[in-house]
Amino acid sequence: MEKKVAQPSWLWGQRASCPLIFSGSAGSLPAVFGSLPNTISSASCRRGQAGSLRSPESLRHVKLKAVSFKLIKNNRQSGSDRGRTEADFDLQPTLKGELIELRPLGQQDFDAVFSAASDPKIWEQHPESDRYQREVFQRFFDGALESRGAFAIIERESGRIIGSSRYCNLDLTNREVEVGWTFLEREFWGGTYNRELKQLMLEHAFRFVDRVVFVVGEQNFRSQKALTKIGASFLKKARLPAGDGTNKTNLVFAITAKSFGAITPATRP
């Protein structure tokens, strides 16, 4: 009997079912890259992420970089990781850095996450620029819970939630996963927190896959700049469904395990 194919919802504008669905034979992915069959879709991925840039690093944050890198490395397992496959990918681990901690997002987090997201300036370059409104954000939050790959981002010093991010569209054939739906409170824009966030997620992802992709709105210049800072390369443009039902142009970026491994600890995100 032919198996169901789970098509990434960010391609077709439909919510993917939360359970992972294995597909049938290989095929080609017309709009972006990779193979559409043999994709495991773990989220309803409507497109675009808000930027997360902050003011220039303080001296304290510079001093914390070396300590942060050591803590992040502790999130990885050593020798046994080499035997891992993408099918073992835990989409919601708890990851700890020096500045932030990522833990699985839960229903109880709505008020705190919405409080972090309720600043209109966070979303002004985003394809869904009204996401600061409660009813619009509710759809975002429901999709995050559905995805089973979403995180609450917690500032360790204060213990409060300052944003969210997630893994989605795990592709077994091409050994890749998407990182997206990321936002941070404006207080934490400028690089330091976003770099540690991406460092944590990339370190974990590259235990299982060879490539991590990011999709951002064409006008979301902050996010595009942030991605180039962490070493991601532009792949192509793609017309994808937006929250308002229209198709909008997005930019696809990627970073590979090889290129990420070539970045020295001093210059890593």
Side-chain angles (χ1 to χ4, degrees):
M1 182 178 294
E2 191 176 14
K3 297 180 181 179
K4 290 184 178 179
V5 175
Q7 299 180 350
S9 57
W10 58 267
L11 281 175
W12 309 115
Q14 301 173 348
R15 288 192 173 187
S17 57
C18 294
L20 303 183
I21 302 174
F22 288 84
S23 72
S25 60
S28 60
L29 181 58
V32 186
F33 46 79
S35 175
L36 182 54
N38 289 325
T39 295
I40 289 185
S41 181
S42 60
S44 61
C45 289
R46 289 183 293 273
R47 297 289 12 109
Q49 291 82 39
S52 48
L53 296 174
R54 199 183 176 203
S55 57
E57 294 176 334
S58 67
L59 179 61
R60 183 177 76 87
H61 290 154
V62 173
K63 290 179 178 179
L64 285 172
K65 273 188 174 181
V67 179
S68 177
F69 181 72
K70 290 180 181 178
L71 283 172
I72 291 168
K73 285 190 70 177
N74 289 337
N75 289 299
R76 305 178 69 188
Q77 298 180 5
S78 54
S80 61
D81 284 347
R82 296 178 183 176
R84 301 246 179 166
T85 70
E86 64 275 17
D88 299 317
F89 200 150
D90 178 3
L91 294 174
Q92 282 185 303
T94 295
L95 303 172
K96 292 183 180 180
E98 174 63 24
L99 301 173
I100 60 173
E101 175 179 338
L102 277 65
R103 64 159 174 79
L105 187 71
Q107 184 66 54
Q108 73 280 2
D109 296 320
F110 177 83
D111 288 340
V113 180
F114 176 62
S115 177
S118 59
D119 178 356
K121 288 191 176 295
I122 292 176
W123 309 103
E124 63 183 359
Q125 293 184 10
H126 193 279
E128 195 169 50
S129 59
D130 57 353
R131 194 173 283 170
Y132 64 89
Q133 298 176 10
R134 188 180 185 92
E135 61 275 15
V136 178
F137 187 79
Q138 183 71 62
R139 295 196 300 269
F140 170 91
F141 188 81
D142 291 345
L145 295 182
E146 261 184 35
S147 76
R148 299 184 182 179
F151 298 95
I153 303 170
I154 301 166
E155 183 195 24
R156 297 191 67 185
E157 184 176 0
S158 65
R160 68 185 181 88
I161 293 176
I162 61 171
S164 181
S165 189
R166 71 183 84 163
Y167 293 116
C168 58
N169 293 324
L170 176 61
D171 183 337
L172 294 181
T173 298
N174 293 295
R175 292 181 57 84
E176 68 185 24
V177 70
E178 183 184 344
V179 167
W181 303 74
T182 304
F183 77 90
L184 291 169
E185 289 183 7
R186 281 197 294 151
E187 178 184 347
F188 302 97
W189 289 5
T192 305
Y193 284 80
N194 185 56
R195 281 199 301 272
E196 185 168 280
L197 167 63
K198 294 302 192 298
Q199 173 81 31
L200 288 166
M201 296 185 74
L202 289 170
E203 287 275 7
H204 178 70
F206 286 136
R207 291 168 54 198
F208 308 97
V209 298
D210 297 328
R211 183 165 75 168
V212 173
V213 298
F214 309 85
V215 184
V216 298
E218 186 177 33
Q219 302 302 313
N220 194 344
F221 303 114
R222 284 192 296 261
S223 287
Q224 294 169 32
K225 184 177 180 180
L227 287 172
T228 60
K229 282 186 175 182
I230 66 168
S233 299
F234 171 74
L235 285 180
K236 61 179 69 180
K237 292 184 178 182
R239 294 281 293 175
L240 302 171
D244 60 5
T246 63
N247 289 329
K248 295 186 177 179
T249 301
N250 290 261
L251 305 184
V252 182
F253 290 79
I255 186 168
T256 65
K258 183 177 180 179
S259 62
F260 183 71
I263 303 173
T264 64
T267 56
R268 275 188 178 178

